[in-house]
């Protein structure tokens, strides 16, 4: 928290931004992307600025994700990419504590988006250095709600519940949940400062920095030059198959490296385990 002097201050004394993202799927390391961001900035405990944007993820939305958030590929067609909306988002987040329900999810996805929008960034350097408070972790550790999904927690705290799983509605709910949690924790556990709340949730949460994935030299060359590659790939049920792909980026999921690429055979963005690419030839 070197750049954020929050530890001895209360939520009323600092700017904080409540953030919610909707995504194409669950795992940024497997190529899923942000499709909607909602964020509201609070100062003195009151909303002062708002950000809301639909984002072109440059890949299809997983049907299961679409069933939850109600967003389809058609809704996102023609929308800006993350790099285009980033300056507005940066302005809103500047100097603020970040807040989310299940903050690790939103932090992981925004960390990936910042990394993809900054391809020349130094590996390991935080591009989004703001600390996060997680209302889900506070609910799990200090309350007994029976279930800890946002809508249920909101009802238990007598917070008005809006339409779930759309970013800006979840943001407003999360802000009210945080302020009510903070009031209760100050009264019964004397947790009054931001430092107290960060300790209460189990420590600081941060968006991960860019991580460089070591690829075989030919794949590195293809990725850097935007070249197509023909690969021999060992799939699960399909066995060995030859694919023509256009690499987009590489990432880790569960410490396993993956290559996210456009697959010309499937005419779709696919994710390939690097250790299952048995051979590659530049096209």
């Amino acid at each position: 928290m070197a750049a954020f002097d929050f530890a001895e201050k209360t939520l009323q004394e600092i700017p904080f931004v409540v953030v919610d993202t909707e995504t194409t799927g669950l795992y940024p390391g497997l190529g899923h992307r942000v499709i909607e961001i909602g964020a509201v900035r609070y100062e003195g405990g009151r909303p002062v600025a708002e950000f809301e944007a639909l984002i072109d993820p440059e890949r299809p939305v997983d049907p299961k994700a679409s069933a939850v958030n109600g967003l389809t590929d058609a809704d996102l067609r023609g929308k800006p990419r993350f790099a285009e909306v980033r300056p507005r988002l940066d302005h809103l987040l500047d100097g603020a504590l970040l807040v989310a329900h299940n903050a690790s999810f939103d932090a992981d996805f925004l960390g990936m988006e910042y990394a993809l929008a900054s391809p020349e960034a130094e590996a390991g350097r935080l591009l989004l250095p703001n600390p996060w408070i997680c209302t889900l972790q506070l609910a799990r550790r200090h309350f007994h709600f029976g279930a800890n999904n946002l809508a249920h927690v909101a009802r238990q705290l007598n917070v008005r519940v809006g339409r779930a799983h759309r970013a800006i509605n979840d943001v407003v709910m999360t802000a009210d949940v945080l302020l009510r949690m903070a009031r209760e924790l100050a009264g019964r556990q004397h947790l009054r400062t931001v430092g107290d709340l960060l300790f209460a949730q189990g420590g600081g949460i941060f968006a991960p920095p860019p991580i460089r994935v070591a690829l075989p030299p030919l794949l590195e060359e293809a990725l850097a030059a935007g070249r197509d590659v023909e690969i021999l790939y060992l799939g699960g049920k399909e066995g060995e198959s030859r694919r023509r792909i256009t690499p987009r980026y590489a990432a880790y999921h569960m410490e396993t490296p993956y290559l996210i690429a456009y697959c010309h055979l499937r005419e779709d963005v696919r994710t390939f385990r690097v250790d299952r690419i048995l051979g590659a030839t530049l096209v």
Side-chain angles (χ1 to χ4, degrees):
M1 291 182 60
F4 296 88
D5 184 22
F6 296 156
E8 300 303 319
K9 297 180 179 178
T10 69
L11 291 173
Q12 301 293 326
E13 297 172 319
I14 66 163
F16 66 88
V17 177
V18 186
V19 180
D20 185 69
T21 60
E22 302 298 338
T23 63
T24 65
L26 295 176
Y27 304 111
L30 294 180
H32 288 292
R33 303 285 301 275
V34 171
I35 55 177
E36 185 180 28
I37 301 173
V40 177
R41 185 180 178 101
Y42 290 76
E43 295 179 5
R46 293 178 171 275
V48 297
E50 182 177 303
F51 175 95
E52 187 173 21
L54 291 174
I55 295 169
D56 175 9
E58 304 177 73
R59 59 157 295 146
V61 182
D62 186 283
K64 291 181 180 179
S66 187
V68 171
N69 57 45
L71 292 169
T72 66
D73 297 335
D75 295 323
L76 306 173
R77 197 167 296 126
K79 299 302 180 183
R81 297 175 181 177
F82 177 80
E84 298 172 67
V85 305
R86 176 181 169 178
R88 285 198 297 129
L89 183 62
D90 283 345
H91 180 72
L92 191 81
L93 304 185
D94 185 40
L97 175 74
L98 304 187
V99 180
H101 195 75
N102 195 7
S104 293
F105 179 89
D106 299 281
D108 285 353
F109 268 96
L110 283 179
M112 179 64 77
E113 293 296 341
Y114 270 82
L116 294 176
S118 310
E120 303 305 318
E122 177 186 351
R125 182 173 69 86
L126 288 174
L127 299 177
L128 185 61
N130 311 56
W132 295 67
I133 277 184
C134 180
T135 51
L136 175 60
Q137 289 300 327
L138 291 175
R140 285 174 172 168
R141 289 168 174 264
H142 300 280
F143 295 84
H144 303 281
F145 295 128
N148 291 312
N149 64 77
L150 178 60
H152 181 77
V153 169
R155 291 188 190 97
Q156 296 301 303
L157 292 171
N158 296 315
V159 169
R160 182 176 177 274
V161 177
R163 181 186 172 192
H165 297 298
R166 286 305 301 271
I168 207 68
N169 295 301
D170 284 356
V171 160
V172 174
M173 270 197 292
T174 302
D176 289 342
V177 162
L178 173 67
L179 293 172
R180 297 203 184 194
M181 280 183 168
R183 196 176 309 137
E184 285 202 26
L185 291 172
R188 58 184 167 88
Q189 291 181 236
H190 306 292
L191 302 176
R192 294 189 173 88
T193 67
V194 172
D196 291 338
L197 293 174
L198 290 171
F199 178 79
Q201 74 177 13
I205 297 170
F206 294 88
I211 298 174
R212 293 289 175 255
V213 178
L215 294 173
L218 189 141
L219 293 178
E220 286 276 15
E221 180 184 347
L223 184 60
R227 296 274 302 275
D228 285 1
V229 183
E230 184 177 283
I231 62 171
L232 178 62
Y233 188 68
L234 179 61
K237 297 178 181 179
E238 300 168 334
E240 293 183 9
S241 63
R242 292 197 175 275
R243 312 280 189 96
R244 178 171 176 165
I245 64 171
T246 306
R248 291 193 172 177
Y249 61 96
Y252 282 105
H253 176 70
M254 306 281 291
E255 300 184 357
T256 299
Y258 288 85
L259 181 66
I260 293 83
Y262 180 81
C263 176
H264 294 262
L265 176 65
R266 302 298 183 191
E267 297 184 331
D268 199 353
V269 175
R270 293 285 168 139
T271 303
F272 301 92
R273 273 184 58 153
V274 173
D275 61 352
R276 291 185 178 175
I277 299 175
L278 305 179
T281 307
L282 286 172
V283 176

